[in-house]
Amino acid sequence: MQTIFILVKCDLGRAYDVADLAVQSIPEVSEVHSTSGQYDLMMKCFLEDGEDIGHFVTGQIQTLSGVKDTFTIITFKAFS
């Protein structure tokens, strides 16, 4: 399992709609947090090993209604 974080810029006034749509319709989206700064949302996603990250982001996240831009962070190891 691979974990990625996707920062999302939304159209004005659409952040909550995008967050709700993502968690309701995309099983790989584990959590969505509203954030301050350049991006409106941060999505935590779990993808199967070998799943194409670029294809997931462009095909599943960037095509959500209200998404304006994304920035993807690929993780290597979780510490606890």
Side-chain angles (χ1 to χ4, degrees), residues 10-75:
C10 301
D11 292 329
L12 292 177
R14 298 291 313 277
Y16 281 53
D17 296 333
V18 172
D20 187 51
L21 186 58
V23 296
Q24 297 296 327
S25 65
I26 304 172
E28 293 89 347
V29 174
S30 166
E31 304 170 24
V32 179
H33 298 263
S34 59
T35 59
S36 63
Q38 272 188 302
Y39 292 88
D40 302 303
L41 302 172
M42 180 175 64
M43 299 181 181
K44 182 178 185 180
C45 305
F46 295 107
L47 305 180
E48 293 296 327
D49 288 332
E51 186 171 349
D52 187 313
I53 294 170
H55 184 60
F56 172 76
V57 173
T58 59
Q60 298 291 316
I61 305 299
Q62 291 180 349
T63 58
L64 289 172
S65 178
V67 170
K68 194 175 194 177
D69 190 22
T70 62
F71 181 85
T72 303
I73 300 169
I74 299 169
T75 65

